[in-house]
Amino acid sequence: MTPEQFIILCISAFCIGVAKAGFSGTSLIGVFLMTEAFGAKEQIGIALPMLIMADIIVYPAFRKYGSWKPVWFLLPPALVGIGLALWVLNTVSDETMRSTIGWIILSMVGMQLVRKWKPELTSKLAHSRGFGVAAGVTGGVATMLANAAGPIMQLYLLSKNMGKMDLIGVGARFFLLVNLLKLPLSAGLSLTTLDTLLWNFAVLPIIIGAVWVGKKLLVKLPQAVFELMIILTAVVAGGRLITG
């Protein structure tokens, strides 16, 4: 690993920690940076153990919020989505994967914007028949290809009128379980290796600190302001991946 790659790994670890504390859009920046530094497919396996570490840290902090019931509903369609994503990983080139990740980032940003600016539209969509299944499948594809399923999961959970803390609690359960299930798949594709695990443990203190910072921001910083900054950055990042 070059010094530049290690710096990007540290920044991405910080983004993941903050995202797991409630600002899910932050993870899109980490996805972009790691795709640029390590490659579209390689970043999947490098980021996954960091995500699991963050999930293990966050879950105990938010386990009193939410429940496992929505997780068991979303899990089967999410597994279908992960299966579709595995087929894509084994089929397309790294360059096509870059574009795919770019479109996933822009799609997640689009969902965030529609949810904020047209809440009545997203409410109608979210309460439609089959939306939960569609959210699970789409989330499964996005999490396997780009570790970026947070926005679609948030959209679905918000449609259930969950409070902010309950939403984070359910999300912590869902992603901890799904990411653990993804780990042997990523290892089987040689995306997660002993070397990448060692890199992950090296940035564990950053992840812990970022989760703490994220929890503080969740209380003190207006989420709308923070999310606007993330959305603008993510649009630029997604566009760069698509255009090369």
Side-chain angles (χ1 to χ4, degrees):
M1 185 191 300
T2 66
E4 292 80 7
Q5 285 177 320
F6 184 70
I7 291 171
I8 288 176
L9 187 70
C10 292
I11 296 171
S12 300
F14 183 82
C15 291
I16 286 171
V18 172
K20 290 297 182 178
F23 296 98
S24 65
T26 316
S27 64
L28 300 179
I29 297 174
V31 170
F32 164 70
L33 291 174
M34 294 188 69
T35 299
E36 288 282 272
F38 298 101
K41 294 183 180 180
E42 289 78 5
Q43 67 85 20
I44 298 170
I46 296 170
L48 182 57
M50 288 195 290
L51 291 164
I52 293 172
M53 290 175 184
D55 290 327
I56 290 171
I57 295 166
V58 168
Y59 172 60
F62 291 95
R63 64 183 176 184
K64 65 180 179 180
Y65 302 104
S67 70
W68 283 95
K69 184 177 179 181
V71 175
W72 302 131
F73 174 76
L74 288 167
L75 184 61
L79 293 177
V80 172
I82 289 172
L84 292 173
L86 285 172
W87 175 81
V88 172
L89 281 171
N90 284 308
T91 304
V92 305
S93 66
D94 195 73
E95 189 60 35
T96 302
M97 270 295 298
R98 280 177 58 88
S99 298
T100 301
I101 291 172
W103 283 114
I104 289 173
I105 289 175
L106 291 183
S107 298
M108 296 299 104
V109 169
M111 288 180 185
Q112 295 274 49
L113 292 176
V114 172
R115 177 169 64 85
K116 287 182 176 301
W117 294 339
K118 293 288 185 180
E120 68 283 355
L121 178 62
T122 54
S123 177
K124 182 178 179 181
L125 172 66
H127 287 90
S128 64
R129 185 184 299 273
F131 177 74
V133 174
V137 173
T138 306
V141 171
T143 191
M144 191 68 212
L145 291 183
N147 294 310
I152 184 66
M153 291 296 106
Q154 279 194 346
L155 179 61
Y156 170 73
L157 295 175
L158 284 170
S159 75
K160 303 304 177 185
N161 299 315
M162 285 188 185
K164 182 165 61 175
M165 304 306 284
D166 286 338
L167 187 149
I168 297 172
V170 173
R173 289 170 170 84
F174 176 80
F175 286 111
L176 175 59
L177 179 59
V178 168
N179 286 332
L180 285 172
L181 291 173
K182 285 161 51 183
L183 188 58
L185 302 176
S186 182
L189 293 170
S190 298
L191 298 176
T192 299
T193 65
L194 179 59
D195 285 341
T196 63
L197 287 174
L198 292 175
W199 298 349
N200 278 256
F201 280 112
V203 297
L204 178 57
I206 296 175
I207 297 173
I208 295 172
V211 171
W212 181 84
V213 170
K215 289 183 69 177
K216 295 295 183 182
L217 287 174
L218 200 63
V219 175
K220 295 184 178 181
L221 184 69
Q223 189 155 340
V225 174
F226 187 84
E227 287 186 357
L228 178 60
M229 295 163 49
I230 298 302
I231 284 169
L232 292 175
T233 306
V235 167
V236 174
R240 180 181 171 91
L241 290 175
I242 292 169
T243 59

